[in-house]
Amino acid sequence: MTDWQVMLTLAVALLLAAGLLAIWLMSHDARWRARYAQYLESRERNLVGMIADSVGLFRDGIDESLPPGIVVGQSALSTRYFGNVIPDTVSKYHLQNGDRYTVLCQLARREAVIEMLESARLNGYNAVCNVRVEATDMGHTLNRAQRAMVIVTATGTAYRVA
């Protein structure tokens, strides 16, 4: 074998290894999203019967023995910083670069609202009104597709319906 054949063989082997690593990383990302969504669904099932809305009005029949209070839920989710460089062609989601950030925001929003409702239930409340959701991008980049972290905070006024 000549030197150029050895170098060509080595280059092909390195490209193959890099491709396999990229496929594994992309499928790992899709598996994480699916597992995390299932985890959130199981937490949501435990909140059956809770009332939450963004209207700042209390419902009829408020239990006066427990005064209303403020409840907060927060979620901080991040992706691999350079995870958006390689397009996702392996997973069933086939997310484009901008879509990954959208999915990250949706999961963080869901988790923040779940945290808020769990906090209300833990403190004896069964309803939350005036729900506000705020998001902060912590990626420190100018390109939307490269944002790496989002923090979502959900706040509301909790009360008990008799």
Side-chain angles (χ1 to χ4, degrees):
M1 259 184 144
T2 61
D3 286 344
W4 70 271
Q5 288 173 327
V6 170
M7 294 300 285
L8 182 64
T9 304
L10 182 61
V12 168
L14 286 173
L15 285 174
L16 181 62
L20 290 174
L21 177 63
I23 288 171
W24 181 82
L25 286 174
M26 287 183 290
S27 63
H28 175 68
D29 189 42
R31 287 191 308 269
W32 175 85
R33 283 193 305 269
R35 278 194 314 267
Y36 195 71
Q38 288 174 347
Y39 167 69
L40 291 178
E41 286 171 16
S42 70
R43 288 175 66 188
E44 286 172 334
R45 281 192 294 273
N46 293 331
L47 293 170
V48 171
M50 291 290 292
I51 302 169
D53 58 35
S54 60
V55 179
L57 301 174
F58 293 105
R59 296 181 188 268
D60 292 334
I62 295 176
D63 183 356
E64 299 290 337
S65 65
L66 184 62
I70 301 295
V71 287
V72 178
Q74 192 171 48
S75 174
L77 293 181
S78 63
T79 59
R80 290 176 289 112
Y81 190 76
F82 293 109
N84 295 333
V85 174
I86 303 169
D88 185 356
T89 57
V90 178
S91 74
K92 64 181 179 179
Y93 296 103
H94 297 290
L95 296 175
Q96 299 300 318
N97 289 345
D99 292 337
R100 286 188 181 193
Y101 180 70
T102 302
V103 169
L104 184 72
C105 289
Q106 289 169 345
L107 290 174
R109 184 179 198 280
R110 249 175 99 185
E111 183 180 33
V113 171
I114 290 170
E115 290 278 339
M116 179 192 65
L117 292 173
E118 287 173 342
S119 174
R121 178 166 275 175
L122 184 66
N123 289 305
Y125 301 109
N126 63 359
V128 180
C129 68
N130 202 21
V131 175
R132 297 290 180 252
V133 179
E134 297 178 11
T136 304
D137 172 35
M138 299 300 290
H140 303 295
T141 64
L142 299 175
N143 185 344
R144 175 181 165 180
Q146 294 177 341
R147 291 182 180 160
M149 178 182 239
V150 64
I151 297 176
V152 177
T153 305
T155 58
T157 304
Y159 63 100
R160 180 152 190 80
V161 177

